[in-house]
Amino acid sequence: MFYHQLYLVLLLVLVTININSLALTIDQKSNTVHLEAPNLSGQYHNNRPSLPFSSNVNKIELISKADIINPCNGTFMKTNGTTCGLKEIMLGRCYQYQYIQRGLYLSNTTAVKNCTELYELFESEVRFKPYCNMNMSTYEKYFQRALEGVHVINRAIFWSGTYAITHTYSGHGHNYITLEDTLAANMLDGLMWCGKENDPQGFDYVSCPNNCQDNRWADLAFWGLASKTFAERVAGEIYVVLNGSRTDGRPSYRNGSYFAEFELPNFQRTGPYRVTKINILVLHTPDLPVVERCGDKSIIHLEHLIRDAQFEYICIDDPDELLLIMCGDSWGARECEVARTALRRAWDLKVLGKSNANYYPLSLLLLFFTGIFRQMLSN
Amino acid sequence: MFYHQLYLVLLLVLVTININSLALTIDQKSNTVHLEAPNLSGQYHNNRPSLPFSSNVNKIELISKADIINPCNGTFMKTNGTTCGLKEIMLGRCYQYQYIQRGLYLSNTTAVKNCTELYELFESEVRFKPYCNMNMSTYEKYFQRALEGVHVINRAIFWSGTYAITHTYSGHGHNYITLEDTLAANMLDGLMWCGKENDPQGFDYVSCPNNCQDNRWADLAFWGLASKTFAERVAGEIYVVLNGSRTDGRPSYRNGSYFAEFELPNFQRTGPYRVTKINILVLHTPDLPVVERCGDKSIIHLEHLIRDAQFEYICIDDPDELLLIMCGDSWGARECEVARTALRRAWDLKVLGKSNANYYPLSLLLLFFTGIFRQMLSN
């Protein structure tokens, strides 16, 4: 049986050589277009702070840096302080979200929320107030108002270590809804802010503390509550995208992650807006090692938690829908070449009616044989 | 020769059947995850008006619709009037663009432009002014200020009939720069506006005329000048993405398009910021017929225009970089299946160490044979 297949393999190689000689007779049009790799994820930034569940917090520095020139005036200056134009950006996004973007959970009869009112609910909790006094109830009124009447049914998607691809896939709320695709979180996504007492502007544009010795909740005041409130408002089937190729030593599902601390415990278990099924999608980055899969270590732990909470559970590694997006972005990845080669071939046939790629049949056959041998070995 | 290959083909089919029977012994994990197709282009809208180069213009209606309730208050209402929150959206985008987004042509020493000043330059030309009085010089001061000091070198990309994919590829200015990725155009992208005399707000939020009997330039006042000003500020190699699968009967390169009327004629031919080379990229949408290719009809005409203007010219059909993006978006396309199948196989091997797809060897072989037969026919 084995030798029979090996014999055929040799025959196939002969065919390949034959094909290659045929292909060489076809015009090889040289082209020298230089194109940049897509690098789509470059446009996505996540500034949700890491969870400070550690006792190793630094002494915060609240010294006023009055000698530093105003970073919101003149030449661009990268700071750790409040984003310049915070108010304008929030208001602009609020209008844009409601009048243009309109994520798929907004129906034509959803009342438009008053953007000025939302901004003022936010501002009243932060402006002139010391950062380290914030806690998990600081922004309650803001979220209550911004998410009033919202239920995301069968379209909610969560991310943990997969910010960029999950947001590409969600399509800014046109395909799925991430936390950041809701009005409440969208207004602040990617922004930084901290109040400052005894300051004419009430915000510190130079430097924000990123942890507080006596109040580890200050950093979670916004994004922790945002995650919790969003989780309370999703229903039906939900999706969770985990990173199965983490290179930082962390597990795919981690106690202390936003998902573990604020999202999973807050899904509704009863009532008309209960979560019924949790679809775990584990992604493996091109050209990075596979660290965890469905059914591995931390994901087994997650499965137990989900089943104990009476939710239906399913886990799938690398769904097709996300594979092409990953490879469309990881342009140079060795593991994506197979798709590029296959599409090149298909489009050369479609557009030119012939193949320009004489290396193609060989690479296709190599792939084919890899499969044969792997299957032989697995039998 | 032909029969020899046909014989091998039969042998190969036998191998395939053999492989399939092997594959059937492998666990077939059923999964019932339902995922939406990505549909990434749903997030992109182009509201640049069609060029009104036609004598068949309608009588415009400027009747005040005072009986219509304010569409910017309460329930969302889709209108043809000025976008609600126009000012807030423009200001917010201006800050976001300069302090967060920062397209790749902005260096760390680029002076930050005054957003309020930019908005006021814009507003002063439109608010309280009748729409049909606008012309190609209306927004001159706005563009002059917004694009002051800007030169896009080797990174400018133009689109014509390819708005969505070109913008996905440009990555909001992180990969390439489209017109809409510049500050000047970004502030108005996707928005609508028209002034209204004798109105307390000065804008018509109910209905904007979309063509003017006595002044065909009114509609071009903004986007025509935007295209012209951008074209004047690009340098080095530039890229133009054309649609080779238009289903509306229009050619890929069309006299009367924004590219033909405002961009191509305005590229600098001399001086330090001259355009040196124009790379034409012709895309063919998955599952749509190929209408034009490099070297076909309207693209030959374009080549003549480019060479006559002393620019270097190159044309390429469907570069690899864009093929994967097209297929990542056109999820259900038959012509993209080959990439999905190839990636599925590669990831099953990577993640599971075996293939779950017993249909795969067959489809790969079919593709392979298609190639053989096409090559036989072309010889």
Side-chain angles (χ1 to χ4, degrees), chain B residues 33-142:
Chain B
V33 173
H34 168 77
L35 281 171
E36 296 299 315
N39 185 24
L40 310 179
S41 56
Q43 64 190 280
Y44 293 107
H45 303 283
N46 159 30
N47 77 334
R48 197 163 72 167
S50 289
L51 287 192
F53 283 100
S54 116
S55 57
N56 182 21
V57 286
N58 303 326
K59 179 85 184 134
I60 22 130
E61 191 192 352
L62 276 175
I63 299 161
S64 165
K65 298 178 184 173
D67 52 330
I68 294 186
I69 54 164
N70 182 353
C72 302
N73 219 336
T75 307
F76 174 74
M77 190 185 296
K78 199 162 173 57
T79 73
N80 292 319
T82 302
T83 307
C84 299
L86 178 75
K87 177 178 180 176
E88 289 80 0
I89 295 173
M90 286 181 67
L91 284 174
R93 288 186 182 179
C94 178
Y95 280 99
Q96 169 154 333
Y97 188 92
Q98 298 192 93
Y99 286 106
I100 306 174
Q101 188 172 334
R102 299 193 66 75
L104 48 77
Y105 74 85
L106 294 185
S107 78
N108 275 349
T109 56
T110 312
V112 172
K113 298 202 157 103
N114 184 322
C115 291
T116 309
E117 182 195 339
L118 280 181
Y119 174 75
E120 283 168 0
L121 279 174
F122 170 86
E123 193 197 79
S124 66
E125 303 294 348
V126 55
R127 198 169 171 203
F128 300 116
K129 306 255 171 99
Y131 179 84
C132 286
N133 281 3
M134 295 196 298
N135 59 50
M136 283 288 282
S137 63
T138 300
Y139 296 105
E140 249 171 16
K141 282 183 201 147
Y142 170 79

Side-chain angles (χ1 to χ4, degrees), chain A residues 45-177:
Chain A
H45 303 283
N46 158 30
N47 77 333
R48 198 164 71 167
S50 290
L51 286 192
F53 283 101
S54 117
S55 58
N56 182 23
V57 287
N58 303 326
K59 180 85 183 131
I60 21 130
E61 192 193 353
L62 277 175
I63 299 161
S64 164
K65 297 179 183 170
D67 53 330
I68 293 185
I69 53 164
N70 182 354
C72 302
N73 218 337
T75 306
F76 174 73
M77 189 185 298
K78 201 165 173 55
T79 74
N80 293 319
T82 302
T83 307
C84 299
L86 178 74
K87 178 177 180 176
E88 288 81 359
I89 295 173
M90 286 180 67
L91 285 174
R93 287 186 181 179
C94 178
Y95 280 99
Q96 170 155 333
Y97 188 92
Q98 298 192 93
Y99 287 105
I100 306 175
Q101 188 173 334
R102 298 193 67 73
L104 49 76
Y105 73 86
L106 294 186
S107 77
N108 275 350
T109 56
T110 312
V112 172
K113 299 202 156 103
N114 184 322
C115 291
T116 309
E117 182 195 341
L118 280 181
Y119 174 75
E120 282 168 1
L121 279 173
F122 171 86
E123 193 197 78
S124 67
E125 302 295 348
V126 54
R127 199 170 170 200
F128 301 115
K129 306 255 171 96
Y131 179 84
C132 286
N133 280 3
M134 295 195 298
N135 60 49
M136 283 287 283
S137 63
T138 300
Y139 297 105
E140 249 171 14
K141 282 183 202 147
Y142 170 78
F143 282 107
Q144 204 169 11
R145 185 79 190 91
L147 287 168
E148 198 172 16
V150 169
H151 295 283
V152 182
I153 300 164
N154 293 335
R155 291 290 187 149
I157 193 162
F158 295 83
W159 55 272
S160 193
T162 54
Y163 182 90
I165 184 153
T166 308
H167 283 83
T168 302
Y169 184 49
S170 81
H172 298 286
H174 282 90
N175 206 38
Y176 284 96
I177 315 259

Side-chain angles (χ1 to χ4, degrees), chain A residues 12 34 36-37 43 93 169 172 175-176 239 288 293 318 320 335 344-345 350-351 360 367 371, chain B residues 12 34 36-37 43 96 169 172 175-176 239 288 293 318 320 331 335 344-345 350-351 360 367 371:
Chain A
L12 278 165
H34 168 76
E36 297 299 316
Q43 64 191 280
R93 287 186 181 179
Y169 184 49
H172 298 286
N175 206 38
Y176 284 96
Y239 300 83
L288 283 186
R293 282 164 286 229
D318 308 298
D320 287 6
E335 290 178 333
R344 178 78 277 142
R345 170 75 169 193
K350 172 188 170 84
V351 175
Y360 178 73
L367 183 78
Chain B
L12 280 165
H34 168 77
E36 296 299 315
Q43 64 190 280
Q96 169 154 333
Y169 184 51
H172 297 286
N175 206 38
Y176 284 95
Y239 300 83
L288 282 186
R293 281 163 288 227
D318 309 296
D320 287 7
W331 184 245
E335 290 178 333
R344 177 78 276 140
R345 170 75 169 191
K350 171 188 170 87
V351 175
Y360 177 72
L367 183 77

